[in-house]
């Protein structure tokens, strides 16, 4: 019993909604209007005006189409060469007829085929020889198109005048004085429509499609004649005396539909009264739990509100279709009544179901919000709150946020623009677009902003790592590219930890560096102290004193060199070195540097081989410092080369760079990696018995870096190779 009452209440609500929808939609076409005030007559009058503008008013003559009778050089060339050059066309014709001739034994038939072939070949040749001949052929096609268009206009004129003979009309062309009249417009009428300046909205358009008359399919161009209708005005009426036998069926259908609509409105009023009195619905009646409601209530409350609004919108759409189907069922009862009956039932059932769904959805939302007075508890659970939180997260990095927003706006406007263009042709397509927007685009926007927020958190994590703050691992969400990036970042975090371990090793290397510096400084200093003490002894001979002083001088100079080299390396590492670049011939500079050390190499039993390009090699360098690079490399080779071996020094220009190469066979076993030999105080002589500071290659590396060059070291067994390259200047 309770269910029956509920269904009755839902039906009465459906009737009330249908009555209200009818008043604001289809009712305006029937309620309070006569048949002759309906939209039907107004539409037919507009159709009359349009068709008269094309087929009756100011129709063109053959003379007015003379603008189409022109032939351009381009048209003649296209006509001639449409099927290829002269030779190609003749060859094609011959090949076409060759098969027919070969397959025929009758000599008379063969002669006829040959005559037809030769005639076509002659025609093709004349096309290429005579412009007037081609021009006349094209004009003949265009004249044929004009004649065909004039026949079509005359035929359509007769059909149009016959089609609208139930209208009285009178139009006048003020320019020519011509009057177009049917019946007496001054007679009492039930419908009247006045049109001033017909050409304001319409033109007489008469297109010629040449290709329809061109059997060869050569001419693809067209021509359209425009007739000005701005001087034509008039009146369209339906006289009272003409309506007795016209549209009787339509008039009856209109009257029946109007009274059916009045009946629906009356039923709506009665239903509303019943709902407000004896059948008043209560909240408890509609507050029922069922599976669809449980699914509905899983969504955030704001999503449910939007879904309810969408359902309400579509309920009114289908309800409007339902009331229109009544019109169709009455108007076309004798024709296709089964189709309209199906439409009436389907739209009615869908409309009723949607209205009932809206009622239950409203009750569900009301019950959810009833008693929830604290907005702070409701807000965080809404889709909008999460949407706003995603937007805020997206703009934590303003650059990414703005770029993402611009991208979204561009994509949205592009899609919306396309939808509007499509909607111009069909309102239904626009509604479909709105459906897609709500169902697909908004969730996509939500997901996109959530991803951007996740990206910003990843970037914050990255920044913390960059500052050495190794926070806890990022939470990996899903399998998206951002999730993979977060996973990679967690791996990078582990790499940073390993890097810190490497840093500890680096600190150990610094300790070794200090030890090496201390050793290299202490060795000459110890000698200086020792021999100074020996000089204090008054009993030593003059020869011994002189020998001690020489040793002191050598050790002092060595100490001075160590300190100066160390000071220079420190300056270069800190960037406090100024360089003055000049255009210098590197080949000449190398010759001079090598020349100063020639005797030293001979004394060391080393064979120095020089290979320098004959042409000058120019580069912008600081001459003094670049000399230091060359000098350090040559001295390094002299100190650490195996006696009796060769040292190769090459300078050449290669792909816009000057390339200096020094190769030698090492005296000591090279256990270190090549890159470690550039480190300060590193020596191939691990026992540190050789002279030098151990800073030669480090100084050379720093100077090369200051000149935007490159220094590479390669070790292959005992073969030691240094390559220095620097951009050249022509």
């Amino acid at each position: 019993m309770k269910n029956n009452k509920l269904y009755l209440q839902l039906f009465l609500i459906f009737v009330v909604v249908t009555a209200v929808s009818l008043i604001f939609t289809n009712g305006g076409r029937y309620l309070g209007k006569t048949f002759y005030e309906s939209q039907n007559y107004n539409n037919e009058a507009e159709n009359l005006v349009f068709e008269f503008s094309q087929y009756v008013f100011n129709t063109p003559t053959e003379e007015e189409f003379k603008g189409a009778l022109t032939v351009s050089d381009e048209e003649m060339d296209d006509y001639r060469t449409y099927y290829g050059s002269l030779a190609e066309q003749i060859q094609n014709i011959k090949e076409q007829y060759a098969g027919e001739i070969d397959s025929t034994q009758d000599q008379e038939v063969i002669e006829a085929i040959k005559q037809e072939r030769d005639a076509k070949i002659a025609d093709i040749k004349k096309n290429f020889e005579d412009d007037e001949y081609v021009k006349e052929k094209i004009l003949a096609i265009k004249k044929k198109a004009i004649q065909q268009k004039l026949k079509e206009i005359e035929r359509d004129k007769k059909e149009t005048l016959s089609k609208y003979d139930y209208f009285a009309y009178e139009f006048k062309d003020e320019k020519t004085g011509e009057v177009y009249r049917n019946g007496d417009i001054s007679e009492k009428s039930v419908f009247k429509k006045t049109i001033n300046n017909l050409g304001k909205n319409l033109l007489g358009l008469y297109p010629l499609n040449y290709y329809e008359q061109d059997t060869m399919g050569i001419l693809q161009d067209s021509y359209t004649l425009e007739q000005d209708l701005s001087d034509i005005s008039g009146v369209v009426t339906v006289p009272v005396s003409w309506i007795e036998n016209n549209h009787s069926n339509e008039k009856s259908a209109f009257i029946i539909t109007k009274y059916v609509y009045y009946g629906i409105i009356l039923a709506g009023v009665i239903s509303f009264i019943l709902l407000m009195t004896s059948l008043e619905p209560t909240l408890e009646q509609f507050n029922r739990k069922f599976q669809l409601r449980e699914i509905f209530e899983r969504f955030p409350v704001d999503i449910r509100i939007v879904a309810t609004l969408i359902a309400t919108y579509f309920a009114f759409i289908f309800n409007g279709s339902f009331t229109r189907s009544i019109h169709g069922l009455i108007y076309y009862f004798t024709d296709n009544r089964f189709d309209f009956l199906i439409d009436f039932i389907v739209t009615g059932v869908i409309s009723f179901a949607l209205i009932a769904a809206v009622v239950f959805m409203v009750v569900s939302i009301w019950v959810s919000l009833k008693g929830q007075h604290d907005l702070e508890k409701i807000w965080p659970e809404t889709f909008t709150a999460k949407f706003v939180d995603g937007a805020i997260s997206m703009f934590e990095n303003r650059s990414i946020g703005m770029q993402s927003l611009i991208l979204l706006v561009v994509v949205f406007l592009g899609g919306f623009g396309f939808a509007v263009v499509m909607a111009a042709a069909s309102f239904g397509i626009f509604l479909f677009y709105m459906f897609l927007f709500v169902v697909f685009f908004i969730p996509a926007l939500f997901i996109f902003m959530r991803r951007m927020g996740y990206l910003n958190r990843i970037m914050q994590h990255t920044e913390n790592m960059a500052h050495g703050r190794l926070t806890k691992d990022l939470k990996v969400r899903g399998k998206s590219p951002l999730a993979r990036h977060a996973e990679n970042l967690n791996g990078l975090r582990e790499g940073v930890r390993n890097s810190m371990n490497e840093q500890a090793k680096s600190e150990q290397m610094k300790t070794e560096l200090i030890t090496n510096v201390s050793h290299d400084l202490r060795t000459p200093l110890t000698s200086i102290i020792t021999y100074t003490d020996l000089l204090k002894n008054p009993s030593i001979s003059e020869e011994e004193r002189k020998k001690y002083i020489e040793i002191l001088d050598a050790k002092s100079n060595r100490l001075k060199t160590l300190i100066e080299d160390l000071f220079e390396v420190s300056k270069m590492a800190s960037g406090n070195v100024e360089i003055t670049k000049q255009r210098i011939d590197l080949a000449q500079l190398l010759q001079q540097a090598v020349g100063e050390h020639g005797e030293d190499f001979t004394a060391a039993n080393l064979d120095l081989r020089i290979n320098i390009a004959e042409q000058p090699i120019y580069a912008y360098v600081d001459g003094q410092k670049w000399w230091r690079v060359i000098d350090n490399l040559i001295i390094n080779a002299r100190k650490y080369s195996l006696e009796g071996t060769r040292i190769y020094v090459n300078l050449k220009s290669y792909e816009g760079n000057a390339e200096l190469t020094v190769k030698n066979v090492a005296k000591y076993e090279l256990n270190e990696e090549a890159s470690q030999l550039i480190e300060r105080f590193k020596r191939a002589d691990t026992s540190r018995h050789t002279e030098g500071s151990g800073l030669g290659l480090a100084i050379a590396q720093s100077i090369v870096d200051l000149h935007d060059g490159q220094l590479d070291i390669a070790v292959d067994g005992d073969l030691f190779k240094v390559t220095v390259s620097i951009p050249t200047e022509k």
Side-chain angles (χ1 to χ4, degrees):
M1 188 70 180
K2 290 183 179 179
N3 285 338
N4 292 336
K5 184 178 181 181
L6 176 65
Y7 295 145
L8 178 59
Q9 289 170 332
L10 288 173
F11 179 75
L12 293 177
I13 292 172
F14 168 71
V15 174
V16 172
V17 172
T18 302
V20 174
S21 172
L22 179 62
I23 293 172
F24 290 101
T25 55
N26 301 318
R29 300 171 58 186
Y30 296 90
L31 304 179
K33 291 185 178 181
T34 66
F35 173 65
Y36 304 104
E37 294 172 336
S38 67
Q39 187 67 28
N40 177 64
Y41 262 99
N42 187 65
N43 290 342
E44 289 199 39
E46 290 180 355
N47 291 337
L48 178 150
V49 173
F50 172 75
E51 293 191 34
F52 273 39
S53 70
Q54 303 302 309
Y55 310 123
V56 178
F57 300 149
N58 198 15
T59 53
T61 63
E62 185 174 355
E63 178 66 20
E64 288 175 310
F65 273 111
K66 66 181 180 180
L69 299 177
T70 61
V71 180
S72 66
D73 293 339
E74 183 180 358
E75 285 181 302
M76 289 192 292
D77 289 339
D78 289 344
Y79 190 92
R80 286 183 178 118
T81 61
Y82 186 81
Y83 293 109
S85 64
L86 175 60
E88 289 172 341
Q89 292 186 51
I90 293 175
Q91 182 64 30
N92 289 337
I93 293 296
K94 289 182 177 181
E95 290 175 356
Q96 289 175 17
Y97 285 91
E100 295 184 34
I101 294 173
D102 292 340
S103 62
T104 303
Q105 302 296 326
D106 190 326
Q107 191 61 36
E108 186 176 348
V109 174
I110 292 174
E111 288 299 323
I113 294 173
K114 287 183 177 180
Q115 288 178 7
E116 183 180 338
R117 178 197 64 189
D118 295 340
K120 287 189 177 182
I121 292 175
D123 180 66
I124 292 171
K125 289 181 178 179
K126 197 168 183 180
N127 284 343
F128 281 86
E129 294 169 355
D130 190 348
D131 288 349
E132 288 300 321
Y133 181 71
V134 176
K135 185 175 181 180
E136 287 301 321
K137 292 171 74 173
I138 296 175
L139 286 175
I141 295 172
K142 294 187 175 182
K143 288 177 182 178
K144 187 177 179 181
I146 292 172
Q147 294 299 322
Q148 182 65 29
K149 175 56 68 174
L150 292 173
K151 289 180 182 179
E152 290 175 0
I153 293 172
E154 188 62 29
R155 184 191 65 232
D156 292 336
K157 180 178 181 179
K158 291 178 181 179
E159 291 179 358
T160 302
L161 291 173
S162 174
K163 180 179 179 181
Y164 294 101
D165 62 347
Y166 58 90
F167 279 103
Y169 55 82
E170 185 175 305
F171 289 91
K172 184 176 181 180
D173 189 335
E174 297 294 341
K175 187 175 183 180
T176 63
E178 188 173 0
V179 176
Y180 308 89
R181 183 183 292 112
N182 183 45
D184 184 5
I185 62 172
S186 62
E187 187 180 342
K188 184 179 179 181
S189 63
V190 294
F191 174 83
K192 186 174 183 180
K193 186 177 184 67
T194 302
I195 298 97
N196 295 315
N197 187 5
L198 185 65
K200 183 178 181 180
N201 299 313
L202 295 171
L203 283 173
L205 300 177
Y206 305 94
L208 298 175
N209 296 316
Y210 301 140
Y211 59 86
E212 293 179 355
Q213 312 301 327
D214 180 12
T215 56
M216 296 177 68
I218 294 172
L219 295 182
Q220 299 296 324
D221 202 358
S222 62
Y223 174 86
T224 300
L225 175 66
E226 292 186 5
Q227 293 289 76
D228 184 12
L229 305 176
S230 59
D231 295 315
I232 299 177
S233 299
V235 177
V236 180
T237 70
V238 178
V240 173
S241 60
W242 292 19
I243 64 174
E244 292 181 1
N245 297 320
N246 291 328
H247 300 92
S248 58
N249 292 333
E250 294 175 0
K251 183 177 180 180
S252 299
F254 178 88
I255 294 172
I256 293 171
T257 303
K258 182 170 69 172
Y259 285 111
V260 168
Y261 282 2
Y262 276 130
I264 292 173
I265 293 173
L266 179 61
V269 173
I270 295 172
S271 298
F272 182 76
I273 294 172
L274 290 174
L275 288 171
M276 293 294 101
T277 55
S278 60
L279 292 175
E280 180 181 4
T282 62
L283 183 64
E284 289 74 17
Q285 289 177 290
F286 293 96
N287 188 23
R288 299 188 176 190
K289 296 290 184 181
F290 48 91
Q291 188 174 4
L292 286 177
R293 178 172 175 176
E294 291 175 356
I295 295 173
F296 178 70
E297 290 179 348
R298 292 175 188 173
F299 293 94
V301 66
D302 52 341
I303 293 293
R304 285 185 277 157
I305 292 173
V306 172
T308 303
L309 294 175
I310 294 173
T312 303
Y313 173 78
F314 280 102
F316 277 103
I317 292 294
F318 277 96
N319 193 258
S321 299
F322 170 68
T323 56
R324 283 193 297 274
S325 68
I326 297 173
H327 161 273
L329 193 61
I330 295 171
Y331 267 77
Y332 306 101
F333 182 76
T334 57
D335 299 320
N336 300 324
R337 60 179 178 272
F338 181 76
D339 293 339
F340 285 102
L341 181 62
I342 293 296
D343 184 49
F344 172 78
I345 295 172
V346 170
T347 54
V349 170
I350 294 176
S351 175
F352 175 80
L354 286 172
I355 291 171
V358 169
V359 172
F360 283 107
M361 292 164 80
V362 170
V363 170
S364 171
I365 294 171
W366 175 257
V367 171
S368 298
L369 296 178
K370 187 179 179 181
Q372 292 285 352
H373 302 293
D374 192 354
L375 184 61
E376 293 182 357
K377 293 181 179 179
I378 301 174
W379 171 252
E381 299 300 321
T382 63
F383 172 83
T384 306
K386 296 175 182 178
F387 188 90
V388 171
D389 180 63
I392 293 172
S393 298
M394 186 177 80
F395 280 94
E396 285 181 1
N397 185 304
R398 186 172 300 177
S399 176
I400 291 179
M402 288 302 299
Q403 292 178 25
S404 302
L405 182 62
I406 292 171
L407 177 64
L408 286 171
V409 169
V410 169
V411 172
F412 174 76
L413 291 179
F416 184 75
F418 177 77
V420 169
V421 171
M422 297 297 294
S426 172
F427 184 70
I429 296 177
F430 176 75
L431 294 179
F432 181 68
Y433 169 77
M434 294 303 299
F435 170 76
L436 292 178
F437 176 80
V438 174
V439 174
F440 294 105
F441 292 166
I442 288 183
L445 181 63
F446 169 67
I447 293 171
F448 179 77
M449 287 194 295
R450 292 276 289 183
R451 293 275 178 88
M452 289 300 101
Y454 190 31
L455 176 60
N456 279 330
R457 283 189 282 274
I458 290 174
M459 293 181 66
Q460 184 64 43
H461 195 81
T462 306
E463 185 177 351
N464 290 336
M465 289 177 58
H467 289 86
R469 298 189 293 269
L470 298 182
T471 56
K472 61 182 180 180
D473 282 349
L474 267 172
K475 185 177 180 181
V476 179
R477 297 179 179 175
K479 297 181 180 180
S480 66
L482 288 179
R484 290 195 298 271
H485 183 66
E487 188 175 357
N488 292 335
L489 196 60
N490 289 336
L492 181 61
R493 175 177 170 272
E494 186 64 27
V496 171
R497 181 178 285 107
N498 294 335
S499 178
M500 294 177 68
N501 294 334
E502 292 295 327
Q503 188 175 1
K505 294 180 181 179
S506 178
E507 291 295 329
Q508 183 179 358
M509 291 177 64
K510 288 181 181 179
T511 302
E512 293 178 0
L513 172 63
I514 294 172
T515 302
N516 291 336
V517 171
S518 300
H519 179 276
D520 285 352
L521 291 176
R522 186 169 59 248
T523 299
L525 187 58
T526 301
S527 298
I528 292 172
I529 294 171
T530 300
Y531 285 101
T532 301
D533 289 339
L534 290 174
L535 284 173
K536 292 178 181 179
N537 186 357
S539 62
I540 62 174
S541 64
E542 189 62 30
E543 184 178 348
E544 289 177 321
R545 184 183 301 278
K546 185 177 180 181
K547 180 180 177 182
Y548 294 163
I549 291 173
E550 289 176 357
I551 293 173
L552 282 172
D553 183 59
K555 297 301 182 181
S556 299
N557 287 331
R558 172 164 169 69
L559 186 59
K560 177 184 176 185
T561 300
L562 280 169
I563 294 172
E564 287 178 348
D565 287 352
L566 183 60
F567 180 68
E568 187 169 358
V569 163
S570 299
K571 281 176 60 179
M572 290 180 181
S574 62
N576 293 327
V577 178
E578 294 183 0
I579 60 174
T580 304
K581 292 184 178 181
Q582 294 178 328
R583 189 169 182 266
I584 292 177
D585 181 3
L586 300 182
Q588 184 180 2
L589 189 66
L590 179 60
Q591 287 279 18
Q592 295 173 1
V594 171
E596 290 193 2
H597 294 280
E599 296 180 358
D600 296 336
F601 279 96
T602 302
N605 191 21
L606 296 171
D607 185 6
L608 183 61
R609 299 294 180 91
I610 310 296
N611 183 12
I612 302 176
E614 295 181 2
Q615 298 293 332
I617 300 176
Y618 292 102
Y620 276 103
V621 296
D622 185 317
Q624 183 179 2
K625 289 185 170 52
W626 201 255
W627 174 284
R628 182 70 181 274
V629 172
I630 298 171
D631 194 59
N632 283 5
L633 295 180
I634 292 174
I635 292 174
N636 190 73
R638 179 178 58 82
K639 287 182 179 180
Y640 298 107
S641 293
L642 183 66
E643 291 184 11
T645 60
R646 298 183 184 89
I647 299 172
Y648 295 92
V649 178
N650 299 326
L651 177 64
K652 64 179 180 179
S653 180
Y654 178 71
E655 295 183 353
N657 289 325
E659 190 174 277
L660 172 64
T661 305
V662 180
K663 295 186 288 186
N664 65 286
V665 178
K667 181 189 303 185
Y668 304 98
E669 184 178 355
L670 300 174
N671 296 320
E672 293 89 353
E673 293 181 5
S675 58
Q676 293 182 356
L677 294 173
I678 304 178
E679 294 178 8
R680 301 167 196 173
F681 292 96
K682 271 287 183 182
R683 296 197 205 173
D685 174 18
T686 55
S687 63
R688 314 188 73 83
H689 291 155
T690 58
E691 296 181 358
S693 61
L695 297 171
L697 290 179
I699 293 173
Q701 175 73 71
S702 299
I703 294 173
V704 171
D705 290 342
L706 289 172
H707 286 79
D708 298 322
Q710 185 173 349
L711 187 147
D712 296 314
I713 293 178
V715 175
D716 185 3
D718 291 333
L719 178 62
F720 183 78
K721 177 182 176 182
V722 181
T723 303
V724 178
S725 60
I726 187 172
T728 57
E729 178 68 24
K730 294 183 179 179

